[in-house]
Amino acid sequence: MDLQARMQRLTDWLLGTEPAMRIRMGMASFAVLMMALCIVVVLMLVHAGFGHKDWAWWWALCTAGGLISVLVLIRSGWSLRLQDPSMTQWQIRYALACNAAAYVLLGQARGVTPVILSLVLMFGIFGMTARQLAANMAYALLVFGAALATVAMLDEPGRSPALEAAHGAMIVLVLMGSTFIAIRLQHIRRRLTQQKHQLSQALERISHLATHDELTGLVNRRHMTELIGVERQRCERAGRPLVLAILDLDHFKSINDSEGHAVGDQVLQAFARTVQATVRNTDMLARWGGEEFVLMLYDSDAASALGLLERVRAKVQAMELPFDGRSVRVTVSMGVALSRPGEPLERLLERADIALYAAKSQGRNRVVLQDEATPGV
Protein backbone atom coordinates (compact mmCIF):
# COMPACT_ATOMS: atom_id res chain seq x y z
CA MET A 1 0.00 0.00 0.00
CA ASP A 2 1.49 3.37 -1.04
CA LEU A 3 1.91 6.35 1.27
CA GLN A 4 -1.07 8.25 -0.17
CA ALA A 5 -3.44 5.34 0.47
CA ARG A 6 -2.15 4.97 4.02
CA MET A 7 -2.64 8.67 4.68
CA GLN A 8 -6.18 8.42 3.33
CA ARG A 9 -6.96 5.49 5.61
CA LEU A 10 -5.51 7.36 8.59
CA THR A 11 -7.56 10.47 7.73
CA ASP A 12 -10.73 8.39 7.42
CA TRP A 13 -10.02 6.74 10.76
CA LEU A 14 -9.45 10.08 12.49
CA LEU A 15 -12.17 12.16 10.86
CA GLY A 16 -14.64 9.53 9.65
CA THR A 17 -16.04 9.09 6.14
CA GLU A 18 -19.50 10.64 6.58
CA PRO A 19 -19.44 14.30 5.34
CA ALA A 20 -21.17 15.83 8.38
CA MET A 21 -18.87 13.90 10.74
CA ARG A 22 -15.79 15.09 8.84
CA ILE A 23 -16.93 18.71 9.16
CA ARG A 24 -17.54 18.36 12.90
CA MET A 25 -14.23 16.61 13.45
CA GLY A 26 -12.38 19.10 11.26
CA MET A 27 -13.70 22.08 13.23
CA ALA A 28 -13.08 20.43 16.60
CA SER A 29 -9.56 19.40 15.55
CA PHE A 30 -8.80 22.97 14.50
CA ALA A 31 -9.99 24.21 17.90
CA VAL A 32 -7.74 21.69 19.67
CA LEU A 33 -4.81 22.75 17.49
CA MET A 34 -5.35 26.43 18.34
CA MET A 35 -5.58 25.68 22.04
CA ALA A 36 -2.49 23.46 21.82
CA LEU A 37 -0.55 26.41 20.42
CA CYS A 38 -1.87 28.57 23.25
CA ILE A 39 -0.76 25.92 25.75
CA VAL A 40 2.73 26.02 24.22
CA VAL A 41 2.82 29.82 24.57
CA VAL A 42 1.76 29.64 28.21
CA LEU A 43 4.33 26.93 29.01
CA MET A 44 7.05 28.96 27.28
CA LEU A 45 6.19 31.97 29.46
CA VAL A 46 6.22 29.83 32.59
CA HIS A 47 9.57 28.31 31.56
CA ALA A 48 10.89 31.88 31.09
CA GLY A 49 10.13 32.57 34.73
CA PHE A 50 6.64 33.99 34.65
CA GLY A 51 3.84 32.47 36.68
CA HIS A 52 3.53 29.31 38.76
CA LYS A 53 5.46 26.33 37.41
CA ASP A 54 3.79 23.91 39.78
CA TRP A 55 0.35 24.88 38.42
CA ALA A 56 1.27 25.14 34.74
CA TRP A 57 1.53 21.44 33.86
CA TRP A 58 -1.68 20.59 35.65
CA TRP A 59 -3.36 23.44 33.81
CA ALA A 60 -1.95 22.22 30.45
CA LEU A 61 -3.07 18.66 31.17
CA CYS A 62 -6.62 19.71 32.10
CA THR A 63 -6.92 22.08 29.11
CA ALA A 64 -5.69 19.54 26.55
CA GLY A 65 -7.55 16.65 28.17
CA GLY A 66 -10.90 18.40 28.13
CA LEU A 67 -10.68 19.38 24.47
CA ILE A 68 -9.36 15.97 23.39
CA SER A 69 -12.31 14.42 25.23
CA VAL A 70 -14.60 16.45 22.94
CA LEU A 71 -12.86 14.95 19.91
CA VAL A 72 -13.44 11.45 21.28
CA LEU A 73 -17.12 12.15 22.02
CA ILE A 74 -17.70 13.56 18.53
CA ARG A 75 -15.76 10.83 16.68
CA SER A 76 -17.47 8.04 18.65
CA GLY A 77 -20.90 9.41 17.66
CA TRP A 78 -21.92 10.00 21.28
CA SER A 79 -22.44 13.72 20.63
CA LEU A 80 -25.18 12.94 18.09
CA ARG A 81 -27.62 12.59 20.99
CA LEU A 82 -27.02 16.24 21.86
CA GLN A 83 -28.83 19.22 20.36
CA ASP A 84 -25.43 20.49 19.17
CA PRO A 85 -23.49 17.44 17.87
CA SER A 86 -20.41 19.62 17.32
CA MET A 87 -20.38 20.55 21.03
CA THR A 88 -19.33 24.07 20.01
CA GLN A 89 -20.74 25.80 23.06
CA TRP A 90 -19.13 23.30 25.41
CA GLN A 91 -15.74 23.79 23.72
CA ILE A 92 -15.96 27.59 23.87
CA ARG A 93 -16.96 27.76 27.51
CA TYR A 94 -14.40 25.19 28.57
CA ALA A 95 -11.71 27.15 26.70
CA LEU A 96 -12.88 30.37 28.39
CA ALA A 97 -12.57 28.76 31.83
CA CYS A 98 -9.08 27.45 30.96
CA ASN A 99 -8.10 30.89 29.70
CA ALA A 100 -9.28 32.49 32.93
CA ALA A 101 -7.22 29.92 34.87
CA ALA A 102 -4.19 30.82 32.72
CA TYR A 103 -4.70 34.44 33.74
CA VAL A 104 -4.25 33.46 37.37
CA LEU A 105 -1.15 31.30 36.90
CA LEU A 106 0.80 33.54 34.47
CA GLY A 107 1.69 36.24 36.97
CA GLN A 108 3.18 39.33 35.32
CA ALA A 109 2.76 37.77 31.85
CA ARG A 110 -1.02 37.47 32.20
CA GLY A 111 -1.48 40.34 29.71
CA VAL A 112 -1.26 37.69 26.94
CA THR A 113 -4.59 36.14 27.92
CA PRO A 114 -6.85 38.78 26.24
CA VAL A 115 -5.29 37.75 22.90
CA ILE A 116 -6.14 34.12 23.57
CA LEU A 117 -9.58 35.23 24.71
CA SER A 118 -10.30 36.91 21.38
CA LEU A 119 -9.33 33.70 19.54
CA VAL A 120 -11.68 31.63 21.70
CA LEU A 121 -14.59 34.02 21.18
CA MET A 122 -14.17 33.95 17.39
CA PHE A 123 -14.34 30.14 17.24
CA GLY A 124 -17.68 28.96 15.93
CA ILE A 125 -18.91 32.53 15.43
CA PHE A 126 -20.94 31.68 12.31
CA GLY A 127 -22.71 28.78 13.94
CA MET A 128 -24.06 30.70 16.94
CA THR A 129 -27.08 32.89 17.48
CA ALA A 130 -26.93 36.39 18.93
CA ARG A 131 -28.33 35.01 22.19
CA GLN A 132 -25.55 32.41 22.41
CA LEU A 133 -22.93 35.07 21.71
CA ALA A 134 -24.33 37.27 24.48
CA ALA A 135 -24.45 34.29 26.85
CA ASN A 136 -20.80 33.51 26.12
CA MET A 137 -19.85 37.12 26.87
CA ALA A 138 -21.69 36.97 30.20
CA TYR A 139 -20.01 33.65 31.03
CA ALA A 140 -16.59 35.07 30.13
CA LEU A 141 -17.20 38.10 32.34
CA LEU A 142 -18.10 35.74 35.18
CA VAL A 143 -15.03 33.48 34.93
CA PHE A 144 -12.61 36.34 34.35
CA GLY A 145 -14.18 38.26 37.21
CA ALA A 146 -13.47 35.22 39.37
CA ALA A 147 -9.90 35.13 38.01
CA LEU A 148 -9.33 38.81 38.81
CA ALA A 149 -10.72 38.28 42.31
CA THR A 150 -8.44 35.28 42.81
CA VAL A 151 -5.36 37.28 41.75
CA ALA A 152 -6.33 40.08 44.13
CA MET A 153 -6.86 37.58 46.94
CA LEU A 154 -3.46 35.89 46.37
CA ASP A 155 -1.79 39.31 46.40
CA GLU A 156 1.47 38.01 44.95
CA PRO A 157 4.71 40.00 45.38
CA GLY A 158 5.12 42.63 42.68
CA ARG A 159 1.43 42.72 41.84
CA SER A 160 0.32 46.10 40.56
CA PRO A 161 -3.34 46.96 41.21
CA ALA A 162 -3.21 49.54 38.42
CA LEU A 163 -1.91 46.95 35.98
CA GLU A 164 -4.57 44.48 37.11
CA ALA A 165 -7.21 47.14 36.53
CA ALA A 166 -5.79 47.73 33.05
CA HIS A 167 -5.90 43.99 32.36
CA GLY A 168 -9.48 43.83 33.54
CA ALA A 169 -10.46 46.78 31.37
CA MET A 170 -8.74 45.18 28.37
CA ILE A 171 -10.58 41.92 28.97
CA VAL A 172 -13.90 43.76 29.11
CA LEU A 173 -13.07 45.65 25.91
CA VAL A 174 -12.09 42.42 24.12
CA LEU A 175 -15.29 40.74 25.25
CA MET A 176 -17.53 43.62 24.24
CA GLY A 177 -15.73 44.29 20.97
CA SER A 178 -15.59 40.62 19.94
CA THR A 179 -19.25 40.08 20.80
CA PHE A 180 -20.34 43.23 18.94
CA ILE A 181 -18.37 42.24 15.84
CA ALA A 182 -19.71 38.69 16.04
CA ILE A 183 -23.33 39.85 16.33
CA ARG A 184 -22.78 42.29 13.47
CA LEU A 185 -21.37 39.50 11.31
CA GLN A 186 -24.41 37.40 12.20
CA HIS A 187 -26.71 40.17 10.93
CA ILE A 188 -24.70 40.47 7.72
CA ARG A 189 -24.75 36.72 7.24
CA ARG A 190 -28.51 36.59 7.83
CA ARG A 191 -29.06 39.40 5.32
CA LEU A 192 -26.85 37.68 2.75
CA THR A 193 -28.75 34.43 3.28
CA GLN A 194 -32.04 36.26 2.77
CA GLN A 195 -30.72 37.95 -0.38
CA LYS A 196 -29.49 34.59 -1.66
CA HIS A 197 -32.94 33.11 -1.07
CA GLN A 198 -34.59 36.03 -2.86
CA LEU A 199 -32.16 35.68 -5.76
CA SER A 200 -32.88 31.97 -5.95
CA GLN A 201 -36.60 32.67 -6.06
CA ALA A 202 -36.08 35.31 -8.76
CA LEU A 203 -34.03 32.87 -10.85
CA GLU A 204 -36.74 30.23 -10.46
CA ARG A 205 -39.32 32.81 -11.51
CA ILE A 206 -37.28 33.80 -14.56
CA SER A 207 -36.74 30.16 -15.48
CA HIS A 208 -40.48 29.50 -15.13
CA LEU A 209 -41.36 32.51 -17.29
CA ALA A 210 -38.90 31.34 -19.93
CA THR A 211 -40.74 28.04 -20.31
CA HIS A 212 -44.33 28.87 -19.33
CA ASP A 213 -47.13 31.15 -20.40
CA GLU A 214 -47.64 33.87 -17.80
CA LEU A 215 -51.44 34.08 -18.20
CA THR A 216 -52.41 30.41 -18.05
CA GLY A 217 -49.35 28.91 -16.39
CA LEU A 218 -49.11 26.35 -19.20
CA VAL A 219 -45.96 25.38 -21.04
CA ASN A 220 -45.20 27.94 -23.75
CA ARG A 221 -44.66 27.27 -27.46
CA ARG A 222 -40.86 27.18 -27.37
CA HIS A 223 -40.64 24.75 -24.47
CA MET A 224 -43.45 22.61 -25.89
CA THR A 225 -41.51 22.28 -29.14
CA GLU A 226 -38.56 20.90 -27.16
CA LEU A 227 -40.79 18.46 -25.27
CA ILE A 228 -42.43 17.26 -28.48
CA GLY A 229 -38.98 16.63 -30.00
CA VAL A 230 -37.95 14.50 -27.03
CA GLU A 231 -41.23 12.55 -27.04
CA ARG A 232 -41.02 11.95 -30.80
CA GLN A 233 -37.66 10.26 -30.38
CA ARG A 234 -39.09 8.08 -27.62
CA CYS A 235 -42.09 7.15 -29.75
CA GLU A 236 -39.90 6.25 -32.73
CA ARG A 237 -37.74 3.98 -30.54
CA ALA A 238 -40.91 2.32 -29.25
CA GLY A 239 -42.32 1.96 -32.77
CA ARG A 240 -45.56 3.85 -32.12
CA PRO A 241 -46.93 7.19 -33.31
CA LEU A 242 -46.92 10.47 -31.42
CA VAL A 243 -50.39 11.95 -30.98
CA LEU A 244 -50.78 15.73 -31.20
CA ALA A 245 -53.97 17.78 -31.04
CA ILE A 246 -54.48 21.46 -31.76
CA LEU A 247 -57.31 23.00 -29.72
CA ASP A 248 -58.90 26.30 -30.71
CA LEU A 249 -61.65 28.14 -28.84
CA ASP A 250 -64.61 28.86 -31.09
CA HIS A 251 -65.56 32.51 -31.69
CA PHE A 252 -63.08 33.70 -29.08
CA LYS A 253 -62.55 37.02 -30.83
CA SER A 254 -66.23 37.86 -30.35
CA ILE A 255 -65.84 37.27 -26.60
CA ASN A 256 -62.94 39.71 -26.47
CA ASP A 257 -64.88 42.25 -28.54
CA SER A 258 -68.15 42.02 -26.60
CA GLU A 259 -66.96 41.26 -23.04
CA GLY A 260 -63.49 42.80 -23.02
CA HIS A 261 -59.99 41.36 -22.85
CA ALA A 262 -60.14 40.90 -19.06
CA VAL A 263 -63.04 38.48 -19.47
CA GLY A 264 -61.23 36.86 -22.39
CA ASP A 265 -58.19 36.26 -20.19
CA GLN A 266 -60.37 34.61 -17.53
CA VAL A 267 -61.92 32.40 -20.19
CA LEU A 268 -58.46 31.25 -21.30
CA GLN A 269 -57.49 30.52 -17.71
CA ALA A 270 -60.71 28.58 -17.04
CA PHE A 271 -60.26 26.65 -20.30
CA ALA A 272 -56.67 25.69 -19.36
CA ARG A 273 -57.80 24.48 -15.90
CA THR A 274 -60.67 22.44 -17.37
CA VAL A 275 -58.51 20.70 -19.96
CA GLN A 276 -55.76 19.92 -17.47
CA ALA A 277 -58.31 18.50 -15.03
CA THR A 278 -59.70 16.22 -17.78
CA VAL A 279 -56.57 14.84 -19.43
CA ARG A 280 -54.09 12.49 -17.77
CA ASN A 281 -51.19 13.72 -15.66
CA THR A 282 -48.77 12.41 -18.28
CA ASP A 283 -50.35 14.45 -21.09
CA MET A 284 -48.91 17.89 -21.82
CA LEU A 285 -50.96 20.96 -22.66
CA ALA A 286 -49.31 24.13 -23.99
CA ARG A 287 -50.53 27.52 -25.04
CA TRP A 288 -49.48 27.80 -28.66
CA GLY A 289 -50.61 31.38 -29.21
CA GLY A 290 -53.76 33.47 -28.65
CA GLU A 291 -56.70 31.11 -28.17
CA GLU A 292 -54.84 28.16 -29.73
CA PHE A 293 -53.43 25.31 -27.63
CA VAL A 294 -51.47 22.14 -28.38
CA LEU A 295 -52.04 18.91 -26.47
CA MET A 296 -49.49 16.07 -26.59
CA LEU A 297 -50.86 12.68 -25.57
CA TYR A 298 -48.42 10.13 -24.17
CA ASP A 299 -48.67 6.42 -24.95
CA SER A 300 -51.87 6.82 -26.91
CA ASP A 301 -53.45 5.67 -30.17
CA ALA A 302 -56.14 7.12 -32.40
CA ALA A 303 -59.09 5.49 -30.64
CA SER A 304 -58.07 6.37 -27.09
CA ALA A 305 -57.02 9.88 -28.16
CA LEU A 306 -60.41 10.57 -29.77
CA GLY A 307 -62.20 9.27 -26.68
CA LEU A 308 -60.17 11.49 -24.37
CA LEU A 309 -60.60 14.55 -26.57
CA GLU A 310 -64.35 13.99 -26.75
CA ARG A 311 -64.44 14.15 -22.97
CA VAL A 312 -62.41 17.37 -23.09
CA ARG A 313 -64.82 18.84 -25.66
CA ALA A 314 -67.83 17.96 -23.49
CA LYS A 315 -66.23 19.41 -20.36
CA VAL A 316 -65.42 22.67 -22.13
CA GLN A 317 -68.93 22.90 -23.54
CA ALA A 318 -70.32 22.43 -20.03
CA MET A 319 -68.22 25.28 -18.61
CA GLU A 320 -70.29 28.21 -17.39
CA LEU A 321 -68.36 31.33 -16.45
CA PRO A 322 -70.40 33.94 -14.54
CA PHE A 323 -69.59 37.61 -15.18
CA ASP A 324 -71.66 40.55 -13.93
CA GLY A 325 -74.85 38.56 -13.43
CA ARG A 326 -74.61 36.71 -16.73
CA SER A 327 -72.69 33.66 -17.89
CA VAL A 328 -70.24 33.16 -20.73
CA ARG A 329 -70.04 29.80 -22.46
CA VAL A 330 -67.45 28.57 -24.93
CA THR A 331 -66.82 25.58 -27.16
CA VAL A 332 -63.63 24.18 -28.64
CA SER A 333 -62.70 22.65 -31.97
CA MET A 334 -59.85 20.13 -32.14
CA GLY A 335 -57.71 18.67 -34.88
CA VAL A 336 -55.74 15.50 -34.20
CA ALA A 337 -52.82 13.97 -36.09
CA LEU A 338 -50.65 10.89 -35.52
CA SER A 339 -47.01 11.10 -36.52
CA ARG A 340 -45.56 9.06 -39.36
CA PRO A 341 -42.06 7.52 -39.38
CA GLY A 342 -39.41 10.14 -40.17
CA GLU A 343 -41.99 12.92 -40.51
CA PRO A 344 -40.77 16.43 -39.56
CA LEU A 345 -42.52 18.10 -36.65
CA GLU A 346 -43.65 20.97 -38.87
CA ARG A 347 -45.48 18.53 -41.13
CA LEU A 348 -47.15 16.79 -38.17
CA LEU A 349 -48.40 20.11 -36.85
CA GLU A 350 -49.55 21.11 -40.32
CA ARG A 351 -51.67 17.96 -40.59
CA ALA A 352 -53.17 18.61 -37.14
CA ASP A 353 -53.96 22.15 -38.29
CA ILE A 354 -55.67 20.77 -41.41
CA ALA A 355 -57.84 18.60 -39.17
CA LEU A 356 -58.64 21.65 -37.03
CA TYR A 357 -59.69 23.56 -40.13
CA ALA A 358 -61.94 20.65 -41.04
CA ALA A 359 -63.52 20.76 -37.56
CA LYS A 360 -64.21 24.46 -37.99
CA SER A 361 -65.66 23.90 -41.46
CA GLN A 362 -67.97 21.15 -40.20
CA GLY A 363 -69.63 23.46 -37.66
CA ARG A 364 -67.09 23.75 -34.82
CA ASN A 365 -67.33 22.17 -31.35
CA ARG A 366 -66.04 18.83 -32.58
CA VAL A 367 -62.94 16.62 -32.78
CA VAL A 368 -61.56 15.62 -36.19
CA LEU A 369 -58.77 13.13 -36.91
CA GLN A 370 -56.58 14.29 -39.78
CA ASP A 371 -56.77 11.02 -41.70
CA GLU A 372 -60.55 11.22 -41.59
CA ALA A 373 -60.59 14.85 -42.66
CA THR A 374 -58.25 14.55 -45.63
CA PRO A 375 -57.18 10.95 -46.22
CA GLY A 376 -54.89 11.83 -49.07
CA VAL A 377 -52.90 14.51 -47.28
Side-chain angles (χ1 to χ4, degrees):
M1 184 181 297
D2 59 14
L3 179 61
Q4 184 177 0
R6 293 188 182 192
M7 290 299 296
Q8 184 62 45
R9 288 189 62 182
L10 177 61
T11 302
D12 291 343
W13 181 77
L14 290 173
L15 302 181
T17 56
E18 199 267 325
M21 174 64 77
R22 291 179 76 93
I23 293 174
R24 287 192 292 269
M25 284 296 296
M27 292 298 295
S29 298
F30 179 74
V32 170
L33 175 62
M34 295 297 294
M35 285 305 297
L37 294 175
C38 292
I39 290 171
V40 171
V41 170
V42 171
L43 292 179
M44 288 174 60
L45 290 171
V46 170
H47 183 71
F50 298 99
H52 302 270
K53 289 185 178 181
D54 52 341
W55 295 359
W57 288 104
W58 285 108
W59 171 86
L61 181 63
C62 291
T63 301
L67 294 174
I68 291 173
S69 298
V70 171
L71 285 177
V72 174
L73 293 174
I74 294 175
R75 182 64 184 89
S76 66
W78 182 90
S79 67
L80 292 175
R81 68 188 68 184
L82 303 176
Q83 188 175 4
D84 176 21
S86 300
M87 300 182 68
T88 304
Q89 291 301 307
W90 195 95
Q91 293 179 69
I92 290 174
R93 293 178 186 179
Y94 186 77
L96 288 172
C98 293
N99 192 22
Y103 182 87
V104 175
L105 70 88
L106 277 176
Q108 295 179 354
R110 58 176 58 100
V112 74
T113 53
V115 179
I116 301 174
L117 174 62
S118 62
L119 291 175
V120 173
L121 291 173
M122 286 298 149
F123 179 73
I125 180 176
F126 292 110
M128 291 186 289
T129 64
R131 179 177 294 181
Q132 289 173 326
L133 291 168
N136 285 339
M137 183 181 73
Y139 175 80
L141 286 171
L142 178 66
V143 294
F144 272 94
L148 287 165
T150 302
V151 169
M153 186 172 57
L154 291 174
D155 195 20
E156 298 167 333
R159 184 180 76 89
S160 170
L163 184 60
E164 292 300 323
H167 287 160
M170 183 59 65
I171 289 170
V172 172
L173 288 174
V174 168
L175 285 171
M176 294 181 64
S178 299
T179 304
F180 173 78
I181 293 172
I183 292 175
R184 183 61 182 161
L185 288 174
Q186 286 285 357
H187 286 309
I188 294 173
R189 183 183 180 219
R190 186 161 53 248
R191 187 169 67 250
L192 290 175
T193 301
Q194 184 179 9
Q195 290 175 346
K196 181 181 177 182
H197 178 67
Q198 292 172 346
L199 178 60
S200 177
Q201 287 183 322
L203 290 174
E204 289 179 6
R205 174 69 174 163
I206 292 171
S207 177
H208 182 81
L209 290 176
T211 57
H212 289 74
D213 173 59
E214 187 173 6
L215 177 64
T216 61
L218 299 175
V219 172
N220 62 21
R221 181 170 186 155
R222 182 178 62 182
H223 190 47
M224 184 63 161
T225 303
E226 297 173 355
L227 295 176
I228 292 174
V230 173
E231 179 61 13
R232 276 197 67 218
Q233 293 179 0
R234 194 173 75 91
C235 289
E236 288 184 359
R237 288 196 299 268
R240 57 175 179 76
L242 170 66
V243 182
L244 284 184
I246 299 180
L247 293 68
D248 189 89
L249 289 173
D250 299 324
H251 304 297
F252 182 75
K253 185 177 182 301
S254 64
I255 295 176
N256 270 338
D257 293 341
S258 61
E259 305 293 342
H261 287 281
V263 172
D265 289 346
Q266 293 183 52
V267 169
L268 291 174
Q269 292 170 337
F271 171 78
R273 290 194 299 268
T274 299
V275 176
Q276 285 188 303
T278 307
V279 300
R280 302 165 299 179
N281 291 333
T282 54
D283 300 325
M284 182 63 66
L285 178 67
R287 188 180 182 191
W288 206 244
E291 70 273 21
E292 194 172 76
F293 299 78
V294 168
L295 178 62
M296 179 170 61
L297 302 177
Y298 285 79
D299 296 330
S300 188
D301 54 26
S304 59
L306 289 175
L308 176 61
L309 293 173
E310 271 297 330
R311 291 195 296 275
V312 170
R313 185 200 62 78
K315 288 284 188 181
V316 173
Q317 184 179 14
M319 283 191 336
E320 187 171 350
L321 309 173
F323 295 106
D324 296 333
R326 63 187 187 282
S327 61
V328 175
R329 304 179 74 94
V330 293
T331 58
V332 61
S333 299
M334 291 176 266
V336 192
L338 279 67
S339 66
R340 297 166 180 168
E343 180 182 35
L345 174 60
E346 293 78 9
R347 179 56 181 162
L348 174 60
L349 288 168
E350 181 183 347
R351 292 194 296 108
D353 196 57
I354 291 172
L356 174 64
Y357 180 78
K360 296 282 189 180
S361 301
Q362 295 172 23
R364 296 182 171 82
N365 191 25
R366 64 189 67 238
V367 182
V368 173
L369 181 64
Q370 186 273 326
D371 290 336
E372 297 174 352
T374 49
V377 178

